[in-house]
Amino acid sequence: MNATLKEGTLRERLQSGRFGYGIELVTTRGFVTPEKPNAVVELGRRLAAEPRVDWLSITDNPGGHMMLPPDWLGRILSAHQKPIVLHLTCKDLNRNGLESTAWKYASEGFENILAMTGDYPRNGFGGVAAPVFDLDSVSLIQMLNAMNQGFPVPEKKGEGIVLPRTNFYIGCAVSPFKRHERELMPQYFKFLRKISAGAQIAYTQLGYDMRKFHEVLLFLENQGITMPVIGNVYLLNRTVAGLFHRRQVPGCVVSDRLMELCERYAKGPDKGRAFFLDFAAKQLAAFRALGFAAGYLGGTTKAETFLALIERAERYSAADGKQFAKEIQFAQPDEFYLFEQDPATGLGVSGRINRAYLASLRESPTTKENGLGYRMSRFVHDKVFTPGTSGFRLMQRLYGWLEHHPTLARGLHRVEYAGKALWYGCRDCGDCSLPDCSYLCPLESCSKNARNGPCGGSQDGRCEVDDKECMWARAYERLKAHGETEPMLEGKTVYTNATLRGTSAWANTFLGRDHHAETPPPSPPPDAKG
Ligand code: SF4
Ligand code: SF4
């Protein structure tokens, strides 16, 4: 079936200069027939027929819960010729599954993809499903970008057979609502990495601090990057506010002050409905006034509520929007901001980076992360694992010789594994990312094996999944002690090679078999100008 989507429609709408509105639809678990459509189908049909709605965006097993896939609903709604964005995440499919899904989407006429790492699985038939995370948002975006450029069939490289080019309009997420510098800065560095990999449009995480939303625009401006940014509005109610306040939804924050406000209004006769609706409409008006390309709405399953929100937001003027941007600033305690604050607006000032942050970059602060083990790892890497050094050349010769002496090679692999298991918690993946992750093993220290930067789920520097510090917050502190934070995610995108599992990572590095071996990355897309 070929969905009747207009080519480039979302791209055109977002680049038209008119503030747009997108709506998030969440599918359902269970069996649905054309004769017995369910509520989300009815909601989607109603909104797809509505001219004030610019696009519909369909989630992919959100919150790690199993649902019908997004293209199921996309196909039903495609007759309305409304642009449809399908979310694609890395938790349930490996790279072949993701590529196969992307070819399916392209074949069905779906071109708008929001590519994310995805939430950790929370349930499944007979127990919790095993997460995949073979790729992450960066490597997925780069794969989609490579599909846009047409890449050769790997098995037939010599024959010059190139796969047909797709026309994906690739979206990425950015998560500015982080309390600490060690969480926020890696988010921004990863955002740049997504753009270099091929992201053409950015969706913010949902949040309730317009200063932080605005900083995403300031950050891009400061980097000289032009791309549409979409502000995320999630309609609150007392229950949802409580979930976000208790940090029960990864990456979603409601501050103490906002929670108090929500509780106060929720005691009213309408349970705060009018307040919550107006609050969300004010956020939309603020996005419009600040220069966001569009607002992205979620948090209700009623078409009338979405439409009332849009209607109310449209009634507010640009001056109102600026005032709301000043009022809706619900920060976390001691929250880190990248830009200096303008006292008149409460927002960040263009081009004026946080002075205390800049000063701290020159100080190389002491931190518990910069211990002897880390410093030793850096030293050994510089002397032995860095190509071009005499140590590296010596090891290349040794491992070349060991290729012809398999018994000795196996013995040395056992020594390597025992040492790295003791020192780093190594799991013997054979394609080592210790140098990519500041000498923290991503399989041991990151619950999503995220090798290209942090997922968006950390809370107060802690991992969204397990009771530990986020690996990338730790990596940032390690690098900061050496004045090396800014280029921390500038390397080429990491793709691990599954066939190396259980083999010597040292041998694979010295003999050029792992991801450290040189391969040219695809060029960035024309829309994202750096
Ligand atoms: S080889 Fe793989 S599992 Fe072992 S430390 Fe390196 S990244 Fe971790
Ligand atoms: S360690 Fe950090 S990046 Fe990894 S899963 Fe946890 S929060 Fe996400």
Side-chain angles (χ1 to χ4, degrees):
M1 175 184 172
N2 201 332
T4 51
L5 300 180
K6 286 181 185 167
E7 191 174 326
T9 303
L10 177 63
R11 189 191 309 249
E12 285 163 10
R13 287 180 190 216
L14 290 177
Q15 291 176 347
S16 70
R18 182 182 64 79
F19 187 78
Y21 298 95
I23 289 181
E24 179 168 282
L25 298 174
V26 180
T27 61
T28 182
R29 188 175 187 175
F31 185 61
V32 178
T33 63
E35 297 75 40
K36 258 185 87 179
N38 71 355
V40 69
V41 174
E42 291 308 314
L43 174 67
R45 283 190 174 134
R46 172 88 198 278
L47 292 169
E50 176 54 56
R52 283 171 294 176
V53 175
D54 289 277
W55 80 94
L56 298 170
S57 200
I58 309 173
T59 55
D60 173 18
N61 291 350
H65 300 290
M66 211 293 303
M67 308 265 180
L68 276 163
D71 58 318
W72 159 75
L73 184 56
R75 279 197 299 275
I76 294 172
L77 302 178
S78 60
H80 294 271
Q81 304 205 356
K82 182 77 72 188
I84 289 175
V85 177
L86 300 182
H87 298 202
L88 187 58
T89 63
C90 306
K91 61 190 176 300
D92 302 318
L93 296 169
N94 68 13
R95 70 192 72 182
N96 286 357
L98 289 165
E99 186 186 326
S100 166
T101 302
W103 289 122
K104 178 159 72 97
Y105 289 174
S107 306
E108 292 169 340
F110 296 113
E111 293 178 339
N112 307 304
I113 293 186
L114 173 54
M116 295 175 287
T117 300
D119 299 318
Y120 202 85
R122 300 282 166 194
N123 62 11
F125 179 73
V128 177
V132 180
F133 300 119
D134 179 32
L135 298 188
D136 57 26
S137 52
V138 174
S139 44
L140 173 59
I141 287 167
Q142 192 172 59
M143 187 180 81
L144 296 171
N145 186 35
M147 291 172 78
N148 276 351
Q149 295 179 37
F151 61 85
V153 182
E155 299 78 29
K156 298 186 177 177
K157 241 179 190 162
E159 299 170 32
I161 299 175
V162 174
L163 291 164
R165 288 167 178 241
T166 51
N167 188 31
F168 291 129
Y169 190 38
I170 307 166
C172 72
V174 56
S175 197
F177 303 101
K178 299 297 172 194
R179 183 171 163 197
H180 302 296
E181 174 193 334
R182 66 180 190 276
E183 295 175 276
L184 181 65
M185 294 315 299
Q187 289 294 333
Y188 280 143
F189 297 143
K190 188 177 179 189
F191 184 30
L192 291 180
R193 205 172 197 183
K194 291 175 188 176
I195 295 168
S196 301
Q200 296 153 288
I201 161 179
Y203 293 71
T204 68
Q205 171 63 287
L206 65 89
Y208 304 96
D209 181 358
M210 296 311 299
R211 182 179 171 193
K212 269 283 166 78
F213 277 116
H214 184 236
E215 282 206 345
V216 175
L217 300 187
L218 294 180
F219 176 75
L220 288 173
E221 181 192 83
N222 204 53
Q223 295 288 329
I225 294 170
T226 308
M227 73 190 307
V229 181
I230 296 168
N232 192 339
V233 172
Y234 197 89
L235 181 65
L236 286 172
N237 57 45
R238 191 182 176 284
T239 308
V240 169
L243 285 173
F244 292 172
H245 182 245
R246 292 191 299 276
R247 310 296 171 84
Q248 286 177 313
V249 182
C252 301
V253 180
V254 160
S255 69
D256 292 347
R257 194 162 65 86
L258 179 56
M259 191 64 220
E260 277 168 28
L261 206 61
C262 294
E263 277 177 341
R264 178 144 39 95
Y265 280 98
K267 286 185 186 132
D270 71 342
K271 298 198 167 69
R273 275 191 205 96
F275 164 75
F276 293 124
L277 193 78
D278 195 44
F279 188 82
K282 285 175 171 173
Q283 278 197 282
L284 285 172
F287 288 139
R288 200 175 66 226
L290 294 178
F292 283 76
Y296 178 53
L297 305 158
T300 174
T301 52
K302 292 196 173 82
E304 307 74 51
T305 310
F306 281 122
L307 299 176
L309 250 174
I310 294 172
E311 195 187 326
R312 188 176 285 242
E314 289 282 303
R315 285 209 298 261
Y316 289 124
S317 68
D320 292 334
K322 286 192 176 144
Q323 180 59 30
F324 301 149
K326 188 176 176 181
E327 290 169 11
I328 302 175
Q329 295 189 8
F330 293 93
Q332 302 174 72
D334 307 318
E335 186 154 357
F336 173 80
Y337 291 86
L338 182 56
F339 291 85
E340 289 288 326
Q341 188 175 29
D342 177 351
T345 63
L347 300 171
V349 182
S350 171
R352 280 187 41 203
I353 302 285
N354 180 332
R355 283 190 295 270
Y357 163 70
L358 289 177
S360 76
L361 290 180
R362 292 188 289 271
E363 281 163 9
S364 301
T366 42
T367 140
K368 68 176 168 43
E369 286 295 341
N370 187 31
L372 183 64
Y374 174 55
R375 283 180 280 134
M376 280 284 292
S377 298
R378 289 173 63 98
F379 178 80
V380 173
H381 182 82
D382 288 351
K383 297 292 173 206
V384 182
F385 288 88
T386 305
T389 59
S390 53
F392 191 88
R393 282 193 293 274
L394 186 70
M395 296 305 270
Q396 271 184 315
R397 280 201 292 278
L398 171 65
Y399 275 92
W401 179 81
L402 283 170
E403 288 287 275
H404 309 290
H405 299 82
T407 310
L408 272 178
R410 274 196 297 277
L412 194 54
H413 175 209
R414 276 198 282 273
V415 172
E416 172 199 336
Y417 178 40
K420 283 168 68 180
L422 198 67
W423 201 261
Y424 304 106
C426 175
R427 311 272 178 90
D428 209 20
C429 78
D431 197 350
C432 195
S433 274
L434 286 172
D436 308 311
C437 307
S438 301
Y439 307 102
L440 294 163
C441 168
L443 284 168
E444 165 71 10
S445 303
C446 174
S447 303
K448 295 183 184 173
N449 185 24
R451 300 186 186 212
N452 289 301
C455 75
S458 72
Q459 306 271 21
D460 292 347
R462 308 282 299 168
C463 177
E464 76 161 72
V465 184
D466 294 306
D467 184 19
K468 62 188 175 197
E469 282 286 298
C470 170
M471 180 184 79
W472 285 102
R474 293 181 64 195
Y476 180 86
E477 296 220 314
R478 288 176 167 213
L479 291 165
K480 186 152 184 188
H482 297 266
E484 295 171 0
T485 49
E486 299 222 344
M488 71 182 282
L489 293 176
E490 278 181 359
K492 67 178 181 173
T493 304
V494 177
Y495 289 89
T496 53
N497 183 345
T499 61
L500 299 179
R501 198 169 297 149
T503 65
S504 164
W506 288 351
N508 296 330
T509 294
F510 294 122
L511 299 178
R513 291 193 289 242
D514 64 10
H515 73 273
H516 298 289
E518 274 309 311
T519 46
S523 48
D527 305 56
K529 302 181 201 95

